[in-house]
Amino acid sequence: MNVRFEPSAGLTGELRAPPDKSISHRAALLGAMASYPVRIENYLHAADTTSTLNAVRALGALVEVRPNEVIVRGAGLREARQPEGPIDVGNAGTLMRLLPGWLAAQEGRSFTLDGDASIRRRPVDRVAEPLALMGANVQAAGKRFPPFTIHGARLHSISHELPVASAQVKSCVLLAALAADGATTVGEPARSRDHTERMLMRSGVTIHRNGRHVTVVNADELVLEHVLVPGDPSSAAFMIAAGVLVPGSRLLLRDIGVNWTRTGFIRILQRMQGIVLGELEDETGELLASEPISDLDIAHGQLEGTVVEPEEVPLAIDELPLVALLGCFAEGETIVRGAQELRLKESDRIATVVDGLGGLGAEIEATEDGFVVSGSGGLRGGVIDAHGDHRLAMMGAVAGLASREGVEVIGMEAAEVSYPGFVADLERLC
Ligand code: S3P
């Protein structure tokens, strides 16, 4: 589906962004691993998180979808049922990387995971390696990519340093650790989102963090009664960017998750002199169980270029395409470094962002691990291909509103992966 976005005269009004995708995936998975029913309020019903509900059903959990809540009656920590055929993860990288943590502990059972064309280009060796150290066996096509099969086993606890900062890989190890034979420690080279740790803490698991290391103690069972999913800061980021870029805008975004590990984009934007007000969570030394929320108040303003350093990257990983877009409108240069992980997302986001924005008139260059944008007073407009990547489609739409001549997005339907109703929300605010 191709959709044209004309230059906007300003976005105004209030919006409730869709529920958080990362937290929805985790709530459904922990619900499936739990011993008692879990009530998930404000679950995200989008393509990715529907894949997760279907996956846990196939594994023996009972899922009841009610208005504004989902009840998951779990199969239990060690009781996943071996399904007849492969589990389809669709486009969901988070499902593909977290689920093997649970499945690795299912002794004597095997599970095959597969997904769409984009998923088949995304590496799984990063989870296969730590799971193998714990005693499970994971076999992937061509060693690195889906489809792949997990042969469950009795797991050992490990102490493991992750080579890349990835919340998905960290979470996979933490889930496997629940059924291991002692305490497992995972270290990450830079802090990444910690929703799994917080939710495990609320499930009665013994877990603590010391700097970049998390230690989790094995458990007999999970007891997680209720999860309230906040608004997704990564989905809200598109509206935030639109509000900051389009003159005359003034937006109020309600109940957005402001966990410190997810608000890197807002901090970068504030450094660029963007006007975003809200009660963001501060970085804390200790691990917290709750997920903080805040309203965010956004207004148009003139931006300045900035440098995004490697340790900030995991805290804004899904919003970096928007940093590139903001850079086109900022004074001076905007540089992102240490973001080679972008090449392994739903598309190669260094290539697709640089080609896409370049085609709209941006002065932007790819580097091996990021990009350099020279602010050129905005964007002309034109046509951008989403390449099946939801975040690229939505970035194209925002670019259109802020451009001089408008933008046509090829493949706008990709937005359904994380933000159903995105185009309708934008139209309402314009
Ligand atoms: C996610 C972690 C990030 C992010 C993805 C969601 C998660 O991936 O890009 O959209 O929910 O844990 P990596 O952990 O692979 O960087």
Side-chain angles (χ1 to χ4, degrees):
M1 182 180 60
N2 300 353
V3 181
R4 216 185 134 69
F5 296 88
E6 299 295 347
S8 162
L11 292 90
T12 47
E14 274 189 42
L15 181 77
R16 219 163 263 283
D20 192 281
K21 181 157 82 70
S22 287
I23 296 177
S24 294
H25 279 305
R26 286 158 170 79
L29 290 172
L30 290 198
M33 299 168 76
S35 306
Y36 302 94
V38 177
R39 188 164 71 85
I40 311 168
E41 217 180 313
N42 200 34
Y43 189 83
L44 173 68
H45 292 288
D48 261 20
T49 45
T50 298
S51 296
T52 299
L53 293 185
N54 290 338
V56 300
R57 277 189 182 111
L59 292 162
L62 297 178
V63 177
E64 187 188 338
V65 177
R66 298 182 183 168
N68 203 38
E69 64 182 24
V70 169
I71 313 286
V72 180
R73 293 180 168 81
L77 210 48
R78 296 172 181 81
E79 321 293 337
R81 181 177 71 197
Q82 178 174 319
E84 301 262 302
I87 295 171
D88 181 8
V89 303
N91 190 252
T94 302
L95 174 59
M96 174 180 75
R97 303 239 177 74
L98 265 64
L99 186 54
W102 181 32
L103 300 182
Q106 312 303 312
E107 284 182 61
R109 278 153 283 164
S110 299
F111 308 85
T112 298
L113 270 55
D114 200 358
D116 68 9
S118 149
I119 274 289
R120 284 185 168 196
R121 289 193 300 266
R122 302 186 65 185
V124 292
D125 50 346
R126 47 183 56 200
V127 296
E129 280 159 17
L131 291 178
L133 293 174
M134 298 178 87
N137 179 359
V138 181
Q139 282 166 348
K143 280 208 159 25
R144 287 191 80 196
F145 303 101
F148 65 105
T149 300
I150 301 139
H151 302 284
R154 183 177 293 259
L155 299 182
H156 320 294
S157 53
I158 55 170
S159 198
H160 185 67
E161 295 295 326
L162 299 176
V164 288
S166 161
Q168 293 179 347
V169 182
K170 174 180 62 176
S171 298
C172 175
V173 178
L174 293 177
L175 296 188
L178 295 174
D181 58 4
T184 290
T185 298
V186 194
E188 44 185 357
R191 293 275 301 279
S192 66
R193 68 190 68 187
D194 64 1
H195 304 303
T196 305
E197 293 91 309
R198 293 185 195 223
M199 212 179 281
L200 286 176
M201 195 175 225
R202 286 207 305 287
S203 305
V205 170
T206 303
I207 181 164
H208 44 262
R209 180 162 63 74
N210 184 358
R212 289 179 290 95
H213 290 86
V214 186
T215 301
V216 62
V217 177
N218 56 341
D220 291 331
E221 61 177 10
L222 296 186
V223 182
L224 175 68
E225 283 171 9
H226 173 233
V227 177
L228 171 62
V229 182
D232 194 321
S234 299
S235 299
F238 296 97
M239 303 311 184
I240 297 174
V244 166
L245 289 179
V246 178
S249 295
R250 186 70 199 272
L251 291 177
L252 187 61
L253 304 181
R254 292 281 190 202
D255 297 335
I256 305 300
V258 288
N259 174 324
W260 180 81
T261 62
R262 290 294 296 285
T263 46
F265 172 69
I266 300 180
R267 290 189 291 277
I268 293 166
L269 183 50
Q270 288 172 336
R271 203 162 69 217
M272 296 176 86
Q273 307 301 325
I275 304 169
V276 185
L277 303 175
E279 288 194 28
L280 305 188
E281 185 186 55
D282 289 332
E283 182 182 6
T284 57
E286 60 186 309
L287 186 58
L288 299 171
S290 62
E291 290 287 354
I293 60 167
S294 173
D295 293 343
L296 299 175
D297 186 347
I298 294 116
H300 165 70
Q302 180 51 50
L303 301 179
E304 287 172 15
T306 191
V307 179
V308 175
E309 298 290 356
E311 67 274 10
E312 287 182 285
V313 163
L315 308 172
I317 184 77
D318 294 332
E319 294 74 66
L320 293 176
L322 286 172
V323 173
L325 174 64
L326 295 172
C328 301
F329 292 77
E331 235 164 71
E333 259 185 358
T334 297
I335 301 172
V336 172
R337 300 198 242 267
Q340 56 279 4
E341 277 292 300
L342 285 179
R343 296 201 182 272
L344 303 174
K345 296 296 175 188
E346 286 83 332
S347 65
D348 171 346
R349 285 191 183 147
I350 294 182
T352 53
V353 165
V354 169
D355 290 353
L357 290 177
L360 304 179
E363 282 181 33
I364 180 167
E365 265 178 47
T367 59
E368 210 160 286
D369 63 350
F371 39 76
V372 179
V373 192
S374 304
S376 47
L379 284 178
R380 180 193 64 235
V383 179
I384 186 169
D385 189 333
H387 295 284
D389 183 335
H390 55 133
R391 302 208 195 272
L392 208 71
M394 293 187 276
M395 181 200 73
V398 175
L401 303 183
S403 69
R404 292 187 292 278
E405 297 176 9
V407 169
E408 181 174 343
V409 180
I410 300 176
M412 194 62 222
E413 68 280 358
E416 298 290 314
V417 156
S418 60
Y419 196 154
F422 171 76
V423 175
D425 276 356
L426 266 191
E427 277 171 359
R428 199 164 52 72
L429 296 173
C430 288

